[in-house]
Amino acid sequence: AAAGKLLVVPADGSHWLSMREVLDIMRQRGHEVVVVAPEVSLQIKPSEKFVMKRHSGPLTQEEMEK
């Protein structure tokens, strides 16, 4: 199959940790991966393995730390 583009809008937490491994494999197979995540997040961090796009979310950094 030909490689394609993959748009990912993950949930924070353990879902993301599992999904990140799958995204690494997809990237190795030639897919272009774009992750759309909130600006404030516990687990979702930028990586050189995919393109990260941020959006404003329901929580501020201060609220997240509480």
Side-chain angles (χ1 to χ4, degrees), residues 8-24:
V8 180
V9 184
D12 207 357
S14 63
H15 294 91
W16 168 246
L17 298 176
S18 299
M19 185 182 295
R20 188 172 169 166
E21 292 180 33
V22 173
L23 297 179
D24 288 344

Side-chain angles (χ1 to χ4, degrees), residues 4-66:
K5 295 182 180 182
L6 183 62
L7 178 64
V8 180
V9 184
D12 207 357
S14 63
H15 294 91
W16 168 246
L17 298 176
S18 299
M19 185 182 295
R20 188 172 169 166
E21 292 180 33
V22 173
L23 297 179
D24 288 344
I25 293 168
M26 298 299 284
R27 169 96 165 138
Q28 290 173 7
R29 293 183 179 179
H31 295 275
E32 179 183 341
V33 179
V34 177
V35 176
V36 179
E39 291 173 342
V40 178
S41 172
L42 292 173
Q43 301 289 332
I44 305 171
K45 305 296 182 207
S47 171
E48 58 188 41
K49 297 181 180 182
F50 51 80
V51 175
M52 174 72 75
K53 300 290 183 181
R54 297 285 191 171
H55 66 84
S56 59
L59 298 175
T60 65
Q61 185 66 37
E62 185 177 295
E63 292 170 325
M64 179 69 79
E65 289 173 1
K66 286 181 183 180

